[in-house]
Amino acid sequence: MKFQIEDVTVYFPYDHIYPEQYSYMIELKRALDAKGHCLLEMPTGTGKTIALLSLITSYSLSKPQSPIKLIYCTRTVHEMEKTLAELKLLHNYQIKHLGPQARILAIGLSSRKNLCVNPTVLAAENRDSVDAGCRKLTASWVRAMAAENPNVPTCQFFENYEKAASAAVLPPGVYTLQDLRAFGKEKGWCPYFLARHMVQFANVVVYSYQYLLDPKVAGIISKEMQKESVVIFDEAHNIDNVCIEALSVSVRRQTLEGATRNLNRISHEIDRFKATDASRLRAEYNRLVEGLALRGNLPITDNWLSNPALPDDILKEAVPGNIRRAEHFLHVLRRLVQYLRGRLETENVEKESPVGFVASISSHAGIDQKALKFCYDRLHSLMLTLEITDTDEFLHIQTICDFATLVGTYGRGFSIIIEPFDERMPHIPDPVLQLSCHDASLAIKPVFDRFQSVVITSGTLSPIDLYPRLLNFHPVVSRSFTMSLTRDCICPMVLTRGSDQLPVSTKFDMRSDPGVVRNYGKLLLEMVSVVPDGIVCFFVSYSYMDGIINTWNDTGILKEIMQHKLVFIETQDVVETTLALDNYRRACDCGRGAVFFSVARGKVAEGIDFDRHYGRLVIMFGVPFQYTLSKILMARLEYLRDTFQIKEGDFLTFDALRQAAQCVGRVIRSKADYGMMIFADKRLLFELLPSSYLIPDMD
């Protein structure tokens, strides 16, 4: 269908549009007109994705003199593929009505592991190994050796792509990752480097959050993106956590042992180069005297991860004299590793600010702040000079340099926390030194500053007024939309007491009470006897789920449940969980019915849909608060209170309820769906926000 929103003709590929979709588009257009940022919440199953894509592509078509680029960020590859499939449908509809003038280029960009078509590289077991396998075949020095010695292996797909030169382009169209791989195989070109090259010319780019929020990746992938772009963060209810993780680093004993091995290997390589090609090391020294900015002209295959923190003006500075020579830099890193090893030999929890930690490094290891700042780039430069391709073997020393650069750059918004053991397992010594970021705005600030409009959207953003404070920005539009329903397809309930009238809760002093565990078991037993098909249960943690299932097993409740439905359990192993989900769906498909036990904040709670008969009931056992004795959480709460005036209780409640809403939202994935939601915890009715906070309005 076609319709007008003010001066924009919107092309919408379906015959009907929901009222909330239309309202959503109006607010989105307001933000685009104002060239500002916005926060938009609309329940899952109401067609957020197609509303976003239709409005923004139509908006661009209505202004051919100043077209805007759309950068669409998703959390997972699965969501990326779904977004591109919707865009393909929309693109075909627009071409049908407008002809060739509606043609656009839209591509999905992911890691080499998801785009590579070289079977020898793909044989590697993980992403880092695939990246290293690619570099071993495509690095500039490897290709230079192959030109002289045909026995040196190279990647034929990359060689063909390079030979095609300017002819290696993608014709207009919408390309999913599978389409890119198929196109690459057909042409004999490398789809990964082709996609990397075409990103700057594409009208729509769909990729992961990390490509914009993680400075190490964004510095390479997204640096060419123009300011006149609209950035969308979809399913962005946890965007503050993504920002914090991008700038946080953990160092353990294994990290330091690996870093020591890496330094020994680099030392051998330096000695080898001194004996065979000392001029390369001299040339690198001269380049570092002039400044790091000169490395901007590296071949695309040699570009490693970018700096995790440095602003552009620092990149123009010369590298400090004490780390310019390779052997001097290695000596600095050895002293740093030795210092960190000494800090891990502690029996008490220690917390320190970056300023105090840098002062301690300076006095004990003789390494100043400026040398720390440049560690990451200096390591990058050295590894390129030494022509090291198996970068997956050097992850430990990369982590140490990442840590050094961050701690040397930021004076506030971070804490260094050293814990000798995990408080939940105090009998197992496992010291960890964590550089913990508390300020989510640090990672996302460059995105807000650089791009014309940033749209943060999800089905669970309430309370929406907390996000501008957490991310430190001022949205021009901030709206929350409710789902319009023509029938009662959602039945939400808050359970405060069991059948014996004992209160139920996962509050710390009640969660192990036999009465609570028994009532939770009886609730599930009653539900499996009457609810058809699939039931999904969410627990507050893996340890609580394990404990409660063991108790149910000992008391015979689990056996009774299994007389009605099969039981499947999410574990921390991805392969096991995937197999359990597959068998759960098969049990629902064949009519046997099944129960799936899962954990809030787990993989299933964030990315798996239990639509239709796969989820007719969801039970949330308790309120999924974070572990409040965590030193990292306590430090973050203190920072939020002092910097943004966000009370500890407000943030913890907000975080717990957005996780609970995300869990129960797994079962209603469209307006044609129906299901029941049970929140089994007395706090949801009496102590926390009202239950309507979690439940979509039913008009």
Side-chain angles (χ1 to χ4, degrees):
M1 64 188 296
K2 281 196 306 182
F3 55 91
Q4 289 289 132
I5 294 182
E6 296 170 359
D7 57 334
V8 174
T9 304
V10 179
Y11 294 87
F12 191 74
Y14 297 105
D15 294 335
H16 305 285
I17 185 169
Y18 299 139
E20 57 268 37
Q21 281 179 309
Y22 185 75
S23 304
Y24 186 92
M25 289 184 185
I26 290 172
E27 296 299 332
L28 182 57
K29 183 180 181 297
R30 274 183 56 209
L32 296 182
D33 287 341
K35 297 187 175 173
H37 313 311
C38 69
L39 272 166
L40 296 172
E41 179 187 33
M42 189 162 72
T44 304
T46 49
K48 267 195 314 292
T49 304
I50 196 63
L52 282 162
L53 295 172
S54 295
L55 190 278
I56 294 172
T57 53
S58 300
Y59 190 91
S60 188
L61 286 169
S62 71
K63 296 174 170 35
Q65 70 284 359
S66 55
I68 55 174
K69 188 188 194 90
L70 172 58
I71 304 169
Y72 198 107
C73 301
T74 66
R75 293 174 307 166
T76 63
V77 172
H78 176 65
E79 287 174 4
M80 184 191 305
E81 293 284 57
K82 282 204 297 189
T83 301
L84 287 162
E86 288 269 35
L87 184 57
K88 194 176 277 191
L89 179 75
L90 172 64
H91 185 233
N92 292 338
Y93 182 81
Q94 289 174 337
I95 287 177
K96 180 179 166 186
H97 282 81
L98 291 171
Q101 74 179 76
R103 288 193 181 280
I104 60 168
L105 175 61
I107 58 173
L109 181 62
S110 188
S111 63
R112 289 172 172 88
K113 186 167 177 58
N114 294 320
L115 281 173
C116 180
V117 289
N118 187 320
T120 56
V121 175
L122 275 178
E125 57 195 21
N126 58 44
R127 193 185 68 193
D128 292 319
S129 301
V130 170
D131 289 352
C134 175
R135 287 192 186 93
K136 286 174 187 172
L137 300 177
T138 60
S140 57
W141 56 87
V142 173
R143 297 177 63 226
M145 283 193 294
E148 298 173 7
N149 180 3
N151 293 325
V152 174
T154 57
C155 176
Q156 200 53 50
F157 291 97
F158 183 75
E159 294 303 321
N160 292 341
Y161 164 73
E162 284 286 286
K163 281 175 193 163
S166 59
V169 293
L170 281 168
V174 178
Y175 294 87
T176 63
L177 301 184
Q178 189 175 345
D179 294 336
L180 284 169
R181 287 194 299 269
F183 184 83
K185 283 181 180 175
E186 180 191 327
K187 293 283 190 180
W189 298 339
C190 171
Y192 173 75
F193 285 107
L194 177 63
R196 282 267 302 269
H197 172 63
M198 295 306 296
V199 157
Q200 55 191 311
F201 307 110
N203 306 89
V204 181
V205 179
V206 184
Y207 56 29
S208 164
Y209 281 24
Q210 273 69 26
Y211 285 46
L212 270 185
L213 294 178
D214 188 335
K216 297 190 292 295
V217 185
I220 289 178
I221 301 293
S222 305
K223 63 180 179 182
E224 303 292 335
M225 301 294 190
Q226 58 263 40
K227 179 175 172 58
E228 294 74 29
S229 298
V230 176
V231 176
I232 293 171
F233 289 107
D234 195 11
E235 296 298 331
H237 46 277
N238 282 334
I239 193 165
D240 55 315
N241 294 333
V242 176
C243 293
I244 278 170
E245 285 164 16
L247 292 177
S248 296
V249 184
S250 292
V251 176
R252 297 177 183 273
R253 278 182 181 153
Q254 300 93 305
T255 316
L256 298 175
E257 288 163 8
T260 303
R261 289 194 301 272
N262 295 159
L263 291 172
N264 291 337
R265 162 95 185 271
I266 291 172
S267 181
H268 289 315
E269 292 292 320
I270 290 171
D271 292 341
R272 184 172 67 84
F273 265 78
K274 276 184 179 175
T276 58
D277 193 2
S279 60
R280 282 185 68 87
L281 291 169
R282 279 197 300 274
E284 183 201 32
Y285 178 87
N286 295 332
R287 190 172 73 249
L288 294 174
V289 171
E290 294 174 31
L292 282 166
L294 294 179
R295 70 179 183 83
N297 301 320
L298 289 173
I300 190 170
T301 52
D302 294 354
N303 254 327
W304 193 27
L305 293 177
S306 189
N307 194 291
L310 293 186
D312 290 340
D313 57 331
I314 295 178
L315 286 174
K316 294 183 177 69
E317 290 181 30
V319 172
N322 60 339
I323 60 171
R324 283 180 201 157
R325 291 201 180 280
E327 54 271 34
H328 293 174
F329 175 57
L330 235 59
H331 190 53
V332 165
L333 288 184
R334 286 190 195 279
R335 294 206 307 273
L336 178 60
V337 168
Q338 191 59 38
Y339 172 81
L340 295 176
R341 188 176 280 119
R343 292 302 300 262
L344 282 180
E345 301 294 331
T346 180
E347 294 180 2
N348 302 309
V349 175
E350 296 177 19
K351 181 188 167 195
E352 209 169 339
S353 70
V355 174
F357 194 80
V358 168
S360 176
I361 291 177
S362 182
S363 62
H364 290 86
I367 306 169
D368 63 9
Q369 184 177 0
K370 192 169 183 184
L372 289 171
K373 265 185 194 179
F374 281 89
C375 274
Y376 202 88
D377 276 282
R378 182 66 189 90
L379 178 70
H380 182 192
S381 172
L382 181 58
M383 290 182 72
L384 287 177
T385 302
L386 298 176
E387 299 182 344
I388 291 172
T389 52
D390 51 345
T391 48
D392 58 326
E393 300 290 329
F394 290 83
L395 294 176
H396 296 298
I397 195 63
Q398 290 173 39
T399 301
I400 298 298
C401 289
D402 188 5
F403 172 86
T405 295
L406 287 168
V407 83
T409 303
Y410 293 107
R412 57 190 302 275
F414 287 79
S415 290
I416 288 89
I417 297 170
I418 306 169
E419 296 181 90
F421 49 76
D422 188 330
E423 283 191 1
R424 287 166 284 191
M425 292 180 287
H427 55 286
I428 302 174
D430 182 24
V432 57
L433 185 151
Q434 298 164 93
L435 175 67
S436 178
C437 176
H438 308 314
D439 192 344
S441 67
L442 292 174
I444 203 168
K445 185 178 184 296
V447 181
F448 286 136
D449 291 346
R450 183 172 159 202
F451 295 108
Q452 180 174 298
S453 292
V454 177
V455 180
I456 293 174
T457 186
S458 178
T460 48
L461 288 179
S462 295
I464 205 164
D465 59 332
L466 207 55
Y467 283 90
R469 293 160 71 191
L470 282 173
L471 302 177
N472 197 20
F473 78 111
H474 303 287
V476 293
V477 174
S478 181
R479 280 289 306 275
S480 185
F481 301 93
T482 55
M483 184 190 282
S484 59
L485 298 172
T486 55
R487 63 195 178 104
D488 290 346
C489 61
I490 303 173
C491 179
M493 296 172 62
V494 177
L495 182 85
T496 60
R497 293 178 182 273
S499 54
D500 56 5
Q501 295 306 299
L502 282 174
V504 292
S505 176
T506 54
K507 209 171 175 180
F508 188 74
D509 56 354
M510 290 180 65
R511 62 171 56 183
S512 302
D513 188 301
V516 172
V517 175
R518 185 181 64 250
N519 278 320
Y520 277 156
K522 282 187 174 179
L523 166 66
L524 181 57
L525 184 56
E526 288 175 24
M527 291 298 106
V528 295
S529 64
V530 293
V531 175
D533 300 321
I535 295 177
V536 189
C537 302
F538 288 99
F539 296 86
V540 293
S541 68
Y542 282 106
S543 57
Y544 186 63
M545 179 173 73
D546 291 344
I548 209 168
I549 291 172
N550 282 332
T551 306
W552 287 349
N553 186 48
D554 294 342
T555 55
I557 291 176
L558 194 61
K559 190 174 180 182
E560 291 182 62
I561 290 169
M562 291 178 72
Q563 288 175 357
H564 297 280
K565 294 182 187 295
L566 299 178
V567 172
F568 299 93
I569 303 173
E570 176 188 5
T571 68
Q572 295 182 38
D573 184 282
V574 176
V575 177
E576 280 183 2
T577 301
T578 305
L579 189 62
L581 277 168
D582 186 46
N583 287 322
Y584 169 83
R585 290 200 169 98
R586 287 170 61 194
C588 293
D589 288 338
C590 72
R592 176 71 173 83
V595 182
F596 195 88
F597 291 152
S598 186
V599 173
R601 304 176 197 278
K603 292 282 183 192
V604 171
E606 280 296 322
I608 305 298
D609 294 346
F610 293 95
D611 55 339
R612 300 174 290 117
H613 61 293
Y614 298 126
R616 289 299 178 215
L617 164 68
V618 59
I619 304 175
M620 182 75 239
F621 289 116
V623 183
F625 282 108
Q626 291 189 56
Y627 179 58
T628 48
L629 295 180
S630 159
K631 299 293 184 292
I632 292 175
L633 177 62
M634 288 163 73
R636 186 183 179 194
L637 291 174
E638 184 183 326
Y639 181 81
L640 291 176
R641 186 191 64 225
D642 296 344
T643 310
F644 300 119
Q645 289 73 55
I646 298 172
K647 294 177 184 173
E648 290 98 326
D650 289 350
F651 177 78
L652 288 171
T653 301
F654 151 77
D655 182 66
L657 293 182
R658 68 174 167 180
Q659 298 300 334
Q662 193 64 23
C663 291
V664 298
R666 297 292 97 203
V667 298
I668 302 293
R669 309 310 293 174
S670 74
K671 292 195 179 188
D673 214 345
Y674 63 91
M676 188 174 173
M677 304 168 179
I678 298 177
F679 302 93
D681 195 303
K682 70 185 182 76
R683 290 174 294 176
L684 279 161
L685 204 58
F686 300 117
E687 296 174 32
L688 303 180
L689 297 181
S691 56
S692 59
Y693 165 78
L694 288 164
I695 300 157
D697 204 14
M698 291 182 287
D699 297 338

